[in-house]
């Protein structure tokens, strides 16, 4: 049914493929189809593919539809010109005569530089055409004539568009430090195409690696294996360590630098480095939890373990049994995290001073003290009550406004809160490692309220701190200690 088909192609030109063969030769139907989708020309009858008006309508909506036009129309300048202005690569479907026509090719490469591939040999050697092409798409340089790929102006324009175009430059220009430097600035991977003496120029490679560390992954073999180049890259981007040549990833100096700058974790290193005290020390200073990957011998080394627990108190868990009985090591661990008490040996969990230090750091550390000390009233002179009121209870509301850490008081946070809906404020200073319950008690005391009174505490976003959050640390509300923040 012609009316049905006409309605269908007005909405979707490709619907023409489902029409009866007789209707695909109906000019009005095909014209509607190609006006919607130029590629519907492929379903048109043979005679309509040679119809000037139909083909012109098709290429206006989709330049690529030129391939379905009759040979005669693919040799018509006005048809091809419109087609390549929509899709430059449609030039490949133009007649041989028009692929050698300057004005047609110029329109094509201006729309898509890579259309230069389909131009005639003479025009691929034309400097003005080439300049337009590489400016539009740097990789079009590969389709330029050999002479043009040796022209500095052409190559410079190409790499300014896409650094990887260096691959298609002449050997002389790939050996030109200025050209290579410009290419690498656009794309680190362009360094793989460096040529001539630059393939062994360590000083130039160090400059490249310092600017673009990723370039070392594709550097010529001699430079990729060079220690100076690797060090320059790691200093700029420590994580480049994993892209280094295998022999460099086994070099102690390189490994130590990568670990110190947090570019490599102990678990990523070749196994023998887990026995190297210098390397392991660097690793646990950055992240105490890396102690778990150290050799058994080093997990019994007091220097290594001390560095680990000073970084992460809970790393005490991975220390040898002897060091978990070492008073100084345990005290260092709980100074960083009171909960490290749970990994101390039984004797120290019954040591009053050790337990007291842990509880001062984190009140719930008492749960890990010996049974006798858990009952010791000197450690809990008065019952610890939860100061937070339950949801729905009527009580005074404190809204936190500022938590301020001062540079000379790194472990203290100064808190300002608004009381109720009025303008009164409560001011308090509490340790950074204090619990939220400690914060609530300090605010309650600042406001002159009874120790037995429960209170509500909310953040500026009106998020209420719940009773179950009482033992969370104040640090959980802070994004930084040296600035005012919540």
């Amino acid at each position: 049914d012609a009316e049905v088909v006409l309605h269908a192609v007005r909405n979707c030109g490709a619907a023409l493929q489902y029409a009866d063969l007789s209707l695909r030769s109906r000019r009005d139907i095909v014209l509607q189809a190609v006006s919607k989708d130029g590629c519907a020309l492929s379903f048109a009858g043979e005679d309509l593919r040679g119809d000037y008006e139909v083909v012109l309508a098709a290429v206006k909506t989709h330049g690529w539809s030129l391939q379905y036009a009759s040979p005669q129309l693919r040799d018509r300048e006005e048809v091809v010109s419109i087609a390549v202005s929509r899709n430059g690569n449609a030039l490949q479907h133009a007649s041989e005569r028009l692929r050698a026509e300057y004005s047609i090719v110029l329109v094509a490469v201006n729309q898509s530089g890579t259309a230069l591939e389909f131009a005639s040999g003479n025009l691929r050697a034309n400097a003005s055409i080439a300049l337009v092409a590489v400016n539009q798409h740097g990789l079009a340089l590969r389709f330029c004539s050999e002479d043009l790929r040796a022209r500095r102006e052409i190559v410079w324009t190409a790499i300014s568009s896409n650094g990887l175009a260096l691959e298609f430059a002449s050997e002389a220009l790939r050996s030109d430090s200025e050209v290579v430097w410009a290419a690498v600035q656009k794309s680190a991977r362009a360094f793989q195409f460096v040529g001539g003496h630059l393939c062994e120029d360590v000083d130039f490679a160090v400059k490249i690696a310092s600017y673009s560390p990723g370039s070392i992954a594709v550097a010529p073999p001699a430079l990729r294996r060079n220690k100076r180049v690797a060090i320059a890259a790691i200093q700029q981007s420590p994580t480049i360590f994993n892209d280094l040549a295998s022999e460099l990833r086994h070099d102690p100096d390189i490994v130590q630098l990568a670990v110190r700058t947090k570019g490599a974790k102990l678990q990523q290193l070749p196994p023998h480095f887990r026995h190297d005290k210098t390397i392991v020390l660097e690793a646990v200073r950055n992240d105490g939890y890396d102690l778990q990957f150290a050799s058994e011998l080093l997990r019994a080394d007091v220097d290594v373990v001390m560095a680990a627990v000073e970084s992460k108190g809970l790393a005490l868990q991975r220390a040898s049994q002897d060091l978990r009985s070492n008073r100084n090591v345990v005290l260092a661990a709980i100074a960083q995290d009171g909960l490290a008490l749970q990994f101390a040996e039984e004797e120290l969990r019954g040591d009053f001073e050790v337990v007291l230090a842990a509880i001062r750091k984190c009140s719930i550390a008492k749960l890990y003290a010996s049974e006798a000390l858990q009952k010791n009233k000197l450690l809990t002179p008065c019952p610890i009550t939860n100061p937070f009121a339950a949801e729905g209870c009527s009580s005074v509301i404190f809204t936190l406004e500022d938590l301020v850490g001062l540079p000379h008081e790194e472990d203290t946070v100064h808190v300002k809160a608004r009381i109720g809906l009025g303008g009164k404020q409560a001011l308090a200073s509490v340790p950074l490692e204090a619990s939220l319950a400690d914060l609530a008690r300090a605010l309650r005391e600042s406001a002159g309220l009874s120790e037995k009174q429960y209170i509500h505490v909310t953040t500026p976003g009106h998020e209420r701190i719940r009773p179950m959050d009482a033992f969370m640390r104040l640090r959980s509300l802070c994004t930084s200690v040296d600035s005012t923040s919540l």
Side-chain angles (χ1 to χ4, degrees):
D1 187 296
E3 288 301 319
V4 171
V5 173
L6 196 57
H7 179 75
V9 298
R10 281 173 179 164
N11 290 297
C12 176
L16 182 63
Q17 64 185 299
Y18 304 111
D20 185 80
L21 288 176
S22 62
L23 295 180
R24 294 191 208 174
S25 295
R26 278 271 300 268
R27 192 171 187 277
D28 57 333
I29 290 177
V30 173
L31 197 55
Q32 286 290 340
V34 298
S35 296
K36 186 67 177 179
D37 181 351
C39 285
L41 184 63
S42 63
F43 309 117
E46 194 68 33
D47 55 332
L48 291 179
R49 295 189 193 186
D51 184 297
Y52 176 82
E53 187 179 351
V54 170
V55 171
L56 198 63
V59 296
K60 282 181 179 179
T61 59
H62 203 309
W64 199 249
S65 63
L66 180 65
Q67 64 181 305
Y68 307 117
S70 66
Q72 293 78 15
L73 290 181
R74 283 191 272 126
D75 191 47
R76 286 282 292 269
E77 189 168 335
E78 57 272 31
V79 171
V80 173
S81 181
I82 290 174
V84 298
S85 70
R86 302 297 191 271
N87 186 327
N89 287 306
L91 182 65
Q92 65 180 292
H93 302 298
S95 66
E96 186 175 348
R97 179 181 73 83
L98 292 182
R99 284 191 277 121
E101 177 63 42
Y102 180 93
S103 60
I104 295 291
V105 173
L106 187 61
V107 171
V109 298
N110 193 53
Q111 199 283 325
S112 175
T114 55
L116 184 63
E117 176 184 3
F118 310 112
S120 66
N122 287 339
L123 291 182
R124 288 169 65 178
N126 184 287
S128 58
I129 289 283
L131 204 56
V132 171
V134 298
N135 184 61
Q136 200 283 326
H137 197 308
L139 295 181
L141 182 64
R142 69 184 299 180
F143 305 119
C144 294
S145 66
E146 187 174 346
D147 288 344
L148 292 183
R149 285 189 275 123
R151 287 269 294 269
R152 189 181 180 87
E153 179 190 11
I154 301 291
V155 172
W156 194 273
T157 301
I159 61 175
S160 296
S161 173
N162 188 325
L164 296 176
L166 181 66
E167 177 183 3
F168 308 109
S170 65
E171 177 72 15
L173 289 177
R174 287 191 289 113
S175 304
D176 186 309
S177 59
E178 287 186 1
V179 171
V180 174
W181 175 249
V184 171
Q185 285 182 304
K186 293 297 289 187
S187 172
R189 300 190 66 81
F191 197 46
Q192 64 187 299
F193 305 120
V194 67
H197 68 284
L198 292 182
C199 289
E200 298 178 350
D201 190 326
V202 175
D203 291 334
F204 182 66
V206 167
K207 176 184 176 182
I208 292 287
S210 298
Y211 173 80
S212 181
S215 62
I216 194 172
V218 296
L223 297 177
R224 193 178 180 203
R225 293 192 296 267
N226 186 276
K227 189 170 179 177
R228 278 184 58 204
V229 176
I231 288 174
I234 291 174
Q235 287 175 334
Q236 184 66 23
S237 178
T239 55
I240 204 69
F241 173 79
N242 294 321
D243 293 324
L244 298 181
S246 177
E247 57 264 42
L248 291 177
R249 285 187 277 112
H250 284 74
D251 184 289
D253 295 332
I254 296 289
V255 170
Q256 186 175 355
L257 176 62
V259 172
R260 183 189 309 130
T261 55
K262 302 183 181 181
K265 301 282 285 182
L266 192 56
Q267 67 191 101
Q268 299 173 308
L269 304 179
H272 66 274
F273 284 115
R274 301 185 182 196
H275 302 270
D276 187 314
K277 183 174 178 177
T278 302
I279 300 296
V280 173
L281 268 173
E282 294 285 4
V284 298
R285 281 171 183 155
N286 284 333
D287 185 350
Y289 294 139
D290 268 6
L291 182 63
Q292 64 184 303
F293 304 113
S295 66
E296 186 176 350
L297 183 65
L298 289 180
R299 283 189 278 118
D301 184 291
V302 67
D303 295 330
V304 171
V305 173
M306 189 66 84
V309 298
E310 286 176 350
S311 168
K312 294 287 190 297
L314 296 180
L316 182 64
Q317 179 184 12
R318 304 297 182 176
S320 66
Q321 185 174 359
D322 285 345
L323 290 183
R324 284 188 277 117
S325 298
N326 184 305
R327 199 169 191 273
N328 290 333
V329 170
V330 172
L331 282 172
I334 63 179
Q336 202 284 321
D337 191 329
L339 294 177
L341 180 64
Q342 63 186 296
F343 302 118
E345 287 298 295
E346 186 175 355
E347 179 185 353
L348 290 178
R349 286 189 281 114
D351 184 305
F352 181 88
E353 291 184 3
V354 171
V355 173
L356 180 61
I359 292 175
R360 283 175 173 169
K361 193 70 176 175
C362 178
S363 58
I364 62 175
K366 184 182 177 182
L367 297 174
Y368 303 109
S370 65
E371 186 176 349
L373 288 183
Q374 286 188 38
K375 297 177 181 179
N376 191 318
K377 293 184 178 181
L378 292 176
L379 291 175
T380 53
C382 59
I384 299 178
T385 58
N386 192 321
F388 293 107
E391 186 174 4
C393 291
S394 177
S395 192
V396 179
I397 299 175
F398 289 77
T399 301
L400 299 178
E401 294 183 334
D402 288 320
L403 287 118
V404 183
L406 302 178
H408 61 283
E409 297 179 350
E410 294 182 357
D411 298 325
T412 301
V413 177
H414 301 280
V415 183
K416 180 171 69 175
R418 187 176 71 254
I419 305 173
L421 300 176
K424 290 186 178 181
Q425 291 183 332
L427 303 175
S429 297
V430 290
L432 178 61
E433 297 300 330
S435 67
L436 296 183
D438 294 328
L439 168 63
R441 293 188 190 100
L443 291 173
R444 184 173 62 187
E445 182 180 350
S446 173
L449 302 178
S450 165
E451 291 183 0
K452 296 181 180 181
Q453 184 167 347
Y454 294 102
I455 64 173
H456 291 292
V457 179
T458 64
T459 66
H462 304 292
E463 183 178 347
R464 188 175 64 85
I465 299 176
R466 303 165 299 175
M468 68 177 66
D469 299 327
F471 291 112
M472 287 179 61
R473 296 184 186 179
L474 176 59
R475 183 186 289 276
S476 66
L477 291 182
C478 305
T479 55
S480 64
V481 184
D482 58 356
S483 64
T484 303
S485 57
L486 285 174

